[in-house]
Amino acid sequence: MIVDAHQHFWQLANPFTDWPTPDLAAIHRDFGPADLAPHLAATGIAATVLVQAAPSLEETRWCLTLAARTSFVKGVVGWIDFAADDAVEQLQELARNPLLKGLRPMIQSISEPGWILCGEFSPVLRAMVEHGLRFDALVHPHQISEIAALAALYPALPIVLDHGGKPDIAAGAFDGWARDVEHLAAHGNVWCKLSGLWTEADGQHGDTEIAPFAQHILAFFGAGRVMWGSDWPVVELAGDYADWFAQSLGFLAEDQKDRVMGGNAVRFYGLDDD
């Protein structure tokens, strides 16, 4: 089974939808299951993981409702307010829905260094482990080391690095990112998504530009801890769904494709648990 491990839906009229903004004309419209279905059919993708796009509990509830009536969505990565007094209660409420597979606190938007390592979040992170939830790490390159520290503190917490840690491909900023990815991959509870790279490349997303980053991810996480995602519809800022899918396949050896393009997402998110 081929799985898109990272896609989004949004409706601009929803009160919690504050992104995309109008300047992002290519994606400043509603995107729902009917818009994604043709891409899945064209690429032979059977299942997806729907990932939150707004820091809103209401958006997560909306995603879960939408997922329940969308046959190809097999799991949801949601959001809670980690800093709220009732954060554990928020988690427990959402975790009653078997479609909830993980949480993503959108660390990339938080300027405070080491925010996720704050001791007051320990009850939330322990509750994630207790409820079998996964942690999606949405970070910028300078925050990757914080995820390594998180992985060391919570070795039973499954963590996945979204979009390869968003390397600055456009600027050719490889060395520091590569070093931090290598250190992060040394933690066996951390996986990585081969996703989102095109939108970091400022329009230059041929094999020459993308391959060094994709190959580094595969070299250090191995084919057993990498999962493919489209980052649709954000990918449409840079190009076509099918073209990103085809390029990604080209980076993989034959014996890697089944795992990276589906099997690893099923295992990591427990998509066959229901």
Side-chain angles (χ1 to χ4, degrees):
M1 181 169 70
I2 306 176
V3 178
D4 181 344
H6 198 106
Q7 55 92 187
H8 307 283
F9 296 135
W10 55 69
Q11 289 182 351
L12 298 182
N14 284 336
F16 43 75
T17 301
D18 57 2
W19 190 93
T21 47
D23 57 302
L24 301 172
I27 60 172
H28 190 252
R29 65 174 181 85
D30 294 350
F31 286 91
D35 302 294
L36 180 55
H39 297 296
L40 303 183
T43 50
I45 294 173
T48 74
V49 176
L50 173 58
V51 180
Q52 60 81 227
S56 163
L57 193 62
E58 287 305 315
E59 194 230 19
T60 296
R61 293 180 179 128
W62 177 80
C63 286
L64 288 166
T65 298
L66 195 55
R69 59 175 188 256
T70 304
S71 61
F72 57 76
V73 176
K74 303 301 183 185
V76 171
V77 175
W79 181 94
I80 64 167
D81 184 354
F82 272 55
D85 291 340
D86 65 342
V88 172
E89 288 76 13
Q90 292 179 28
L91 183 154
Q92 291 170 338
E93 174 213 324
L94 295 176
R96 286 196 285 270
N97 189 322
L99 281 169
L100 187 80
K101 303 299 182 180
L103 296 173
R104 186 171 83 147
M106 302 186 84
I107 298 169
Q108 71 169 12
S109 301
I110 297 170
S111 60
E112 180 183 342
W115 175 85
I116 192 57
L117 303 174
C118 178
E120 70 182 73
F121 299 155
S122 294
V124 184
L125 294 161
R126 289 197 302 268
M128 288 186 69
V129 174
E130 292 166 6
H131 287 272
L133 297 178
R134 296 77 173 168
F135 186 102
D136 267 56
L138 177 65
V139 298
H140 288 301
H142 71 276
Q143 297 168 314
I144 293 174
S145 61
E146 297 175 11
I147 303 306
L150 180 70
L153 285 171
Y154 299 93
L157 178 66
I159 299 170
V160 60
L161 180 67
D162 286 356
H163 312 322
K166 306 189 78 170
D168 190 351
I169 297 172
F174 182 83
D175 291 346
W177 167 85
R179 180 184 61 251
D180 288 342
V181 163
E182 180 179 349
H183 292 161
L184 180 62
H187 297 276
N189 57 321
V190 183
W191 300 44
C192 187
K193 288 185 183 178
L194 183 61
S195 64
L197 299 184
W198 275 14
T199 46
E200 305 303 321
D202 195 25
Q204 302 299 311
H205 50 68
D207 288 357
T208 300
E209 292 81 15
I210 302 299
F213 294 88
Q215 290 168 352
H216 189 77
I217 288 168
L218 288 162
F220 285 93
F221 282 96
R225 286 191 288 145
V226 175
M227 66 190 84
W228 181 83
S230 67
D231 197 25
W232 180 91
V234 183
V235 69
E236 295 194 1
L237 291 170
D240 182 72
Y241 189 110
D243 290 342
W244 165 238
F245 179 85
Q247 185 187 68
S248 301
L249 279 176
F251 296 141
L252 303 174
E254 283 300 320
D255 63 352
Q256 297 176 324
K257 291 178 180 178
D258 283 350
R259 288 174 287 171
V260 174
M261 303 304 290
N264 291 341
V266 171
R267 286 198 300 127
F268 180 82
Y269 284 114
L271 301 184
D272 55 358
D273 287 350
D274 305 325

